[in-house]
Amino acid sequence: MSNFLPSLETFAKGTLATAATLSTVGAGLLWYGQNYLIYPSAFPPGSRIEVPAPSDFGIPYQDLELRTPDGILIRCYLLPQRKSLHADHPEAVRVPYDDSESDDEFIASRPTVVMFHGNGGNLGHRIPLAKIIFMKMRCNVLMCSYRGYGLSEGSPSEKGIQIDSQTVLDYLTSDPNFNKTPIILYGQSIGGAVAIDLASRNPSKIGALILENTFTSLPSLVPHALPLLGPFSFLCHQKWDSASKIHLIPATTPILMLSGARDDLVPKAHMRALWEAVAKRGEKKTSGGKEYKVGLERAKYMEFKSGGHNDTCVQTGYWPAVADFVASLGTPVAPEKSNPDPKT
């Protein structure tokens, strides 16, 4: 027994040393390497140099290069509408227009959807989704490429992407055609956090939000997404704290929330928590002695029982819900019945 005790002591010391080392490595990885974990812009391999273009999918578009206030060049895709789109593209839904109006006037009469993508891949991988919005709903579309993604310059970070999204919005609001259109923010996963942040900082400029499988905040997501690093979630300096920003978005701003019940990356509890925050932002009014909320009727939550993190957008009913939501904003669109097969 006496010979065994030193062995136990040695084992205990070794275990403590290993735990201390792993803790130090874990903390260092989260603190210094979190940008690589959160923004894997080079995955799938080739995503930084191989960027599909809308023309690959038969969509007319414009390359849009925007220089941010801190000097970063971000390369986006702009898909402006035109009256005769259905003549050249049979899949495009025909919408009423005045023969006397110009294409610029037609652009100004249609909603503009700004797409903020998830943290993997590049904007080109989301073109099948943009095609539905552009062809079937006849919206103008601006696909944002964050810094450090696709062919955009720089390295991604929360502060940097906030600057990128603001630069995109400033472009639209300064353009003589797009500044007349209702601006709808469509964000998937971390793109939803980008949309919430942008709307919270520009409450009077955003017409509506469409949010899919996004989270309350990144620190609260770490224990689920990276269980081994859960104890160090307090070191996560990339916050994207959407839960604390929802109340800054006016109760009258329509919000559509789309959640995949089988999301294995962002637990559906995050979307439900955000929905509760959306419900609380309603303005309380009293009529006939009864208290009610104004604004909540313009928000909607939908859960798709078979939807995972990357395939909620191909679930039955997803695109009709988006089309109905856009139509409810005052612009008629035709529901899309088929599903795309995007690389998300």
Side-chain angles (χ1 to χ4, degrees):
M1 177 67 71
S2 58
N3 291 334
F4 188 58
L5 289 177
S7 298
L8 286 177
E9 181 179 4
T10 301
F11 174 77
K13 289 180 179 179
T15 300
L16 289 174
T18 300
T21 300
L22 290 176
S23 296
T24 301
V25 171
L29 178 63
L30 188 58
W31 180 258
Y32 294 105
Q34 63 188 263
N35 280 33
Y36 296 99
L37 295 173
I38 295 168
Y39 312 109
S41 58
F43 182 83
S47 291
R48 291 288 277 125
I49 56 175
E50 299 171 2
V51 184
S55 55
D56 298 336
F57 296 81
I59 306 172
Y61 78 106
Q62 299 172 13
D63 281 314
L64 178 65
E65 296 186 347
L66 299 174
R67 181 73 64 178
T68 66
D70 59 341
I72 301 297
L73 185 68
I74 57 174
R75 294 181 168 90
C76 308
Y77 293 147
L78 180 63
L79 286 59
Q81 282 294 330
R82 65 172 188 262
K83 293 190 301 182
S84 61
L85 183 66
H86 62 278
D88 301 324
H89 302 274
E91 69 269 39
V93 169
R94 181 167 185 162
V95 296
Y97 59 85
D98 189 330
D99 288 333
S100 64
E101 71 178 342
S102 65
D103 274 330
D104 284 347
E105 291 172 325
F106 186 70
I107 288 172
S109 72
R110 305 303 299 169
T112 297
V113 176
V114 182
M115 297 181 65
F116 294 120
H117 63 74
N119 69 336
N122 57 52
L123 80 171
H125 298 148
R126 280 76 181 187
I127 294 173
L129 309 183
K131 186 171 185 177
I132 293 176
I133 298 170
F134 181 69
M135 293 288 189
K136 302 302 184 182
M137 302 181 199
R138 294 301 300 272
C139 297
N140 307 301
V141 179
L142 197 163
M143 304 183 72
C144 175
S145 179
Y146 314 131
R147 64 184 60 200
Y149 278 81
L151 302 178
S152 293
E153 297 177 349
S155 299
S157 67
E158 181 176 13
K159 182 179 179 180
I161 293 175
Q162 288 173 332
I163 294 173
D164 299 342
S165 64
Q166 187 66 53
T167 299
V168 166
L169 180 60
D170 290 345
Y171 165 80
L172 291 175
T173 56
S174 63
D175 183 273
N177 297 321
F178 293 110
N179 67 8
K180 299 181 180 71
T181 73
I183 296 175
I184 304 169
L185 307 183
Y186 173 86
Q188 296 178 296
S189 190
I190 202 169
V194 177
I196 291 170
D197 173 78
L198 184 62
S200 73
R201 292 185 285 110
N202 301 269
S204 65
K205 298 178 181 179
I206 303 305
L209 289 89
I210 302 172
L211 309 171
E212 179 199 311
N213 292 338
T214 191
F215 43 80
T216 55
S217 73
L218 277 180
S220 66
L221 183 63
V222 168
H224 177 82
L226 300 167
L228 293 178
L229 299 181
F232 310 106
S233 59
F234 67 94
L235 294 175
C236 187
H237 52 70
Q238 300 293 293
K239 303 296 186 183
W240 290 114
D241 190 358
S242 295
S244 69
K245 299 172 184 176
I246 288 288
H247 75 281
L248 299 173
I249 302 173
T252 52
T253 301
I255 298 179
L256 174 63
M257 303 187 71
L258 305 161
S259 175
R262 295 185 179 180
D263 191 332
D264 57 357
L265 181 60
V266 179
K268 62 183 180 181
H270 282 251
M271 283 288 281
R272 288 179 174 174
L274 288 176
W275 171 245
E276 291 175 5
V278 167
K280 290 178 181 178
R281 74 190 178 128
E283 299 174 357
K284 293 182 178 180
K285 301 288 183 181
T286 302
S287 177
K290 294 183 178 180
E291 188 179 81
Y292 64 98
K293 288 186 177 182
V294 175
L296 184 56
E297 68 275 7
R298 305 206 73 189
K300 185 176 183 179
Y301 179 92
M302 294 187 66
E303 187 172 285
F304 299 87
K305 64 180 181 179
S306 298
H309 188 70
N310 290 323
D311 65 2
T312 297
C313 60
V314 299
Q315 299 303 309
T316 300
Y318 181 99
W319 288 105
V322 173
D324 289 344
F325 177 74
V326 174
S328 73
L329 304 177
T331 303
V333 297
E336 167 62 20
K337 300 213 170 27
S338 61
N339 287 322
D341 184 19
K343 184 179 182 181
T344 57

